[in-house]
Amino acid sequence: KAGVTQTPRYLIKTRGQQVTLSCSPISGHRSVSWYQQTPGQGLQFLFEYFSETQRNKGNFPGRFSGRQFSNSRSEMNVSTLELGDSALYLCASSIGTSGRTPIGQTFGAGTRLSVL
Amino acid sequence: GESVGLHLPTLSVQEGDNSIINCAYSNSASDYFIWYKQESGKGPQFIIDIRSNMDKRQGQRVTVLLNKTVKHLSLQIAATQPGDSAVYFCAEGSISSGSARQLTFGSGTQLTVLP
């Protein structure tokens, strides 16, 4: 069974640019969550998508956005990149059925974004 | 806001010894807790979880203890092996938050297993 796949693994961008990251969840998983990981702030929740709808959102500025497609694949976009956006962006998928805990949340290897 | 934190940023143990990683949380409404292991260059890997109505749960070589009175969580690893060297995170979630998929993570503990 394939795991969570994130592409690309590494990205280098400059300030002001925008970037799109992709996440393919485990087959059958309908929930996709995104997290930002930095040495200073640790792992922080960005947002979660379920059945193409954003179901929950963390405390990040509007420059961070996402979407989910009908096949549950998700993309995350960051516009007007800042130096502080340099981080490991992690995607996690789970079955996502209402009422069930996220015990089955599985993380991908992440996309390492460097903003110069 | 609510936070989940770890007592120690680093922990070194001898191979074969038992390891104990601690975590303090402040959100009394947390419904469940999860321990993750993250190796260099990889995403967090699920280790074990525990619901708030439990105080102990055992897995393969790992045990999680939950003390709701003092809002403390611990992960015990028996017979620690070199492959256990990694950063360990505790995370908490509340089903009442509207989405069971939002986790709040602690800052992590670096476990180093010495030969």
Side-chain angles (χ1 to χ4, degrees), chain A residues 44-108:
Chain A
Q44 293 185 294
F45 173 78
L46 280 155
F47 31 65
E48 184 226 358
Y49 285 86
F50 179 77
S51 293
E52 302 179 64
T53 301
Q54 187 180 86
R55 187 159 65 172
N56 205 355
K57 189 177 187 301
N59 297 321
F60 278 82
R63 299 186 298 106
F64 293 82
S65 63
R67 60 176 175 170
Q68 187 179 35
F69 302 95
S70 58
N71 61 358
S72 294
R73 189 178 71 84
S74 177
E75 287 183 346
M76 187 192 109
N77 184 78
V78 187
S79 62
T80 319
L81 284 166
E82 301 176 359
L83 295 178
D85 296 333
S86 294
L88 179 67
Y89 290 89
L90 291 159
C91 162
S93 78
S94 65
I95 293 175
T97 304
S98 178
R100 294 186 60 172
T101 57
I103 306 300
Q105 194 171 51
T106 304
F107 282 82

Side-chain angles (χ1 to χ4, degrees), chain B residues 6-11 21-22 86-89 107-111:
Chain B
L6 293 170
H7 291 309
L8 298 172
T10 61
L11 177 65
I21 301 171
N22 296 302
V87 177
Y88 289 79
F89 293 96
S107 55
T109 291
Q110 172 70 58
L111 174 65

Side-chain angles (χ1 to χ4, degrees), chain B residues 32-49:
Chain B
Y32 54 87
F33 303 86
I34 306 175
W35 281 100
Y36 284 94
K37 170 187 179 183
Q38 187 174 25
E39 298 173 282
S40 181
K42 298 183 179 179
Q45 177 187 359
F46 172 87
I47 301 173
I48 192 168
D49 62 343

Side-chain angles (χ1 to χ4, degrees), chain B residues 23-61:
Chain B
C23 177
Y25 66 94
S26 57
N27 185 359
S28 58
S30 298
D31 295 304
Y32 54 87
F33 303 86
I34 306 175
W35 281 100
Y36 284 94
K37 170 187 179 183
Q38 187 174 25
E39 298 173 282
S40 181
K42 298 183 179 179
Q45 177 187 359
F46 172 87
I47 301 173
I48 192 168
D49 62 343
I50 188 168
R51 295 179 188 246
S52 60
N53 60 355
M54 304 169 66
D55 53 23
K56 181 179 180 179
R57 192 170 188 210
Q58 289 184 293
Q60 186 177 16
R61 283 201 307 119

Side-chain angles (χ1 to χ4, degrees), chain B residues 1 5 8 20 24 51 55 62 65 69 75 77 84 89 92 97 106 112 114-115:
Chain B
L8 298 172
I20 299 177
R51 295 179 188 246
D55 53 23
V62 295
L65 299 177
T69 302
L75 176 70
I77 304 174
D84 294 328
F89 293 96
E92 62 91 6
S97 69
T112 301
L114 305 172

